[in-house]
Amino acid sequence: MTSDDRRVLIAGGGPVGLLCAWLLGRRGVPVRLFDLNSGPQADPRAATTHPATLDLLDIDGFADDMTRVGLKAPIFQFWDRSSGELVAEFDHAVLQNDTRHPFVIQCEQFKTSNLLLERLRKIGNVDVLFDHEVTGAAQTPDRVSIDVRGPGGVTSHSGGYLISAEGGRSTVRKQSGIAFEGFTWPERFIVLTTPFDFEAHRGYCYRSYFADPGEWCNCFKVSADGPPGLWRTVYPADPALTEGEILSDTGVQARIQSFFPSDSAYEIVHRNLYVTHQRVAETFRKGRVLLAGDSAHVNNPIGGMGLNGGIQDAVNLSDKLARVILDSESDRLLDLYDRQRRTVAVEFVQEQSIANKNRLEARDPETRKRNLGELRQMAAEPERARQFLLRTAMIASQRRADSLELAES
Ligand SMILES: Cc1cc2nc3c(=O)[nH]c(=O)nc-3n(C[C@H](O)[C@H](O)[C@H](O)COP(=O)(O)OP(=O)(O)OC[C@H]3O[C@@H](n4cnc5c(N)ncnc54)[C@H](O)[C@@H]3O)c2cc1C
């Protein structure tokens, strides 16, 4: 193989693309990554990093670095907004024999990206090109090629494999003719970030979920530039309102006050609105094109599973791709990547994230009573709490993926 044949091209330098670049690069695979932005974006998206993901990132001190720049959150809570009752509290300590990290780390995704960039700067065989947009992709049985628009015009690049990590709107996925099956929620999700200290003033822990008929809220803390850090609150937005109405000062105060009434106005430091989908690509592999992260699957953020799934894709894929390129193992390993990661995207992440939303927003009084009663009981019984946390901490899905083998051909 020439070095061109061994090169992996990566479209997209979000956390998933950068992680693939680092994991492949540190094994000696030549990598060239392109991202259309000028660097990591600081918008408030992923922060929650689950135990299964931290276990996978326990490489060269990476999980420790995330802990250093993030916040440790061993506990999460469910609250009933209408009664103000703390329904259930779960402590990851019950997972002490299941993971080396019996806690969540709240680490904003741009910090994860910056930690990866620091490491990538030390690896000579990886080129990271920001301000470069991948506009076209094609493959033959032997190679892949892409067109890239950068400051100097359009250039072509070729390599042995192409990882599509450019997020939910992936150009490469579309140009490869891979369907993105699923649906879009009618309501957009609004994120309001405030310095108001929900722990000191209201007793909420760093990850708190609120159930309310037809509504819900996730309230969680990030370290930001802190201490003291910031609190992010996420809600459904009224589909009848325009974006301008939702994001106006009146709109955001009404939204936050509806869950957390207060005599004074909240200081809102960021307000963001997201369209949210539940979709999984029909395949994560088409020949030499491999999908990872949001390019392969998207879901609502309740439970914080999207990027965790993407990181788990990146670790799985990079190991297999390195073995194919460096050790001449069969490229059927890449079919196994598709089987393992697509299966758990459908069986766990889609299922669990939709169930999380349904549980919080249930309107029917009997269903609400049953849902909240079940959470209460699970929290009270250590083994049931452990089984629940194995799923929320994404350990069960990781175990399921590891158990899958290729069907005999
Ligand atoms: C409000 C909210 C909260 C969330 N909270 C969590 C959470 O707590 N935990 C969790 O696990 N997940 C969470 N998520 C999901 C998480 O943000 C995504 O799963 C994550 O961003 C996926 O990472 P990625 O690298 O696959 O894609 P992205 O982060 O979308 O990165 C894609 C990159 O590709 C680049 N790009 C796009 N098109 C091109 C192109 N044509 N050429 C070159 N570059 C291109 C973009 O500039 C971008 O840098 C949340 C999402 C939202 C909206």
Side-chain angles (χ1 to χ4, degrees), residues 4-5 7-9 142-145 157-161 288:
D4 226 29
D5 295 333
R7 179 180 299 130
V8 174
L9 304 173
D142 304 319
R143 28 198 328 99
V144 285
S145 57
H157 304 259
S158 63
Y161 290 93
R288 292 175 173 271

Side-chain angles (χ1 to χ4, degrees), residues 139-164:
Q139 62 173 308
T140 65
D142 304 319
R143 28 198 328 99
V144 285
S145 57
I146 57 175
D147 293 328
V148 178
R149 191 184 303 123
V154 176
T155 48
S156 295
H157 304 259
S158 63
Y161 290 93
L162 169 61
I163 297 178
S164 162

Side-chain angles (χ1 to χ4, degrees), residues 58-125:
D58 215 350
I59 309 164
D60 190 21
F62 197 82
D64 293 341
D65 280 353
M66 288 179 77
T67 307
R68 182 173 51 76
V69 299
L71 283 179
K72 199 182 259 191
I75 287 169
F76 64 101
Q77 298 172 334
F78 285 94
W79 295 78
D80 180 11
R81 194 209 63 90
S82 11
S83 66
E85 179 201 354
L86 171 60
V87 176
E89 179 170 286
F90 293 92
D91 187 340
H92 286 85
V94 298
L95 298 179
Q96 61 188 340
N97 296 324
D98 296 289
T99 169
R100 296 187 300 286
H101 301 88
F103 45 80
V104 152
I105 294 296
Q106 297 284 103
C107 177
E108 299 96 311
Q109 70 183 63
F110 70 90
K111 291 185 183 170
T112 306
S113 294
N114 283 329
L115 289 173
L116 288 164
L117 281 169
E118 271 171 32
R119 283 167 164 76
L120 282 167
R121 281 189 202 105
K122 297 177 194 148
I123 302 181
N125 47 311

Side-chain angles (χ1 to χ4, degrees), residues 12 14-16 35-37 45-48 109 134 166 294 304 306-308:
V16 172
D35 194 285
L36 59 80
N37 284 322
R45 295 204 280 158
T48 299
Q109 70 183 63
V134 175
E166 342 89 288
D294 275 20
L307 178 55
N308 280 272

Side-chain angles (χ1 to χ4, degrees), residues 315-385:
V315 173
N316 186 314
L317 173 60
S318 302
D319 174 61
K320 291 182 169 62
L321 204 44
R323 284 158 58 193
V324 170
I325 293 169
L326 300 176
D327 307 332
S328 304
E329 288 196 45
S330 162
D331 76 346
R332 292 215 342 121
L333 270 179
L334 305 176
D335 294 330
L336 182 58
Y337 162 70
D338 167 58
R339 171 135 204 261
Q340 291 179 328
R341 294 306 312 163
R342 191 175 183 283
T343 301
V344 298
V346 173
E347 285 182 1
F348 281 79
V349 177
Q350 292 297 314
E351 207 233 70
Q352 178 102 28
S353 57
I354 293 172
N356 288 345
K357 183 170 181 291
N358 289 342
R359 177 168 46 218
L360 293 183
E361 69 188 6
R363 282 177 196 274
D364 172 52
E366 276 309 307
T367 311
R368 264 173 66 70
K369 202 168 147 199
R370 194 173 57 244
N371 288 347
L372 300 182
E374 196 184 14
L375 285 169
R376 221 176 265 121
Q377 274 184 353
M378 283 193 299
E381 295 172 32
E383 184 48 29
R384 284 190 70 194

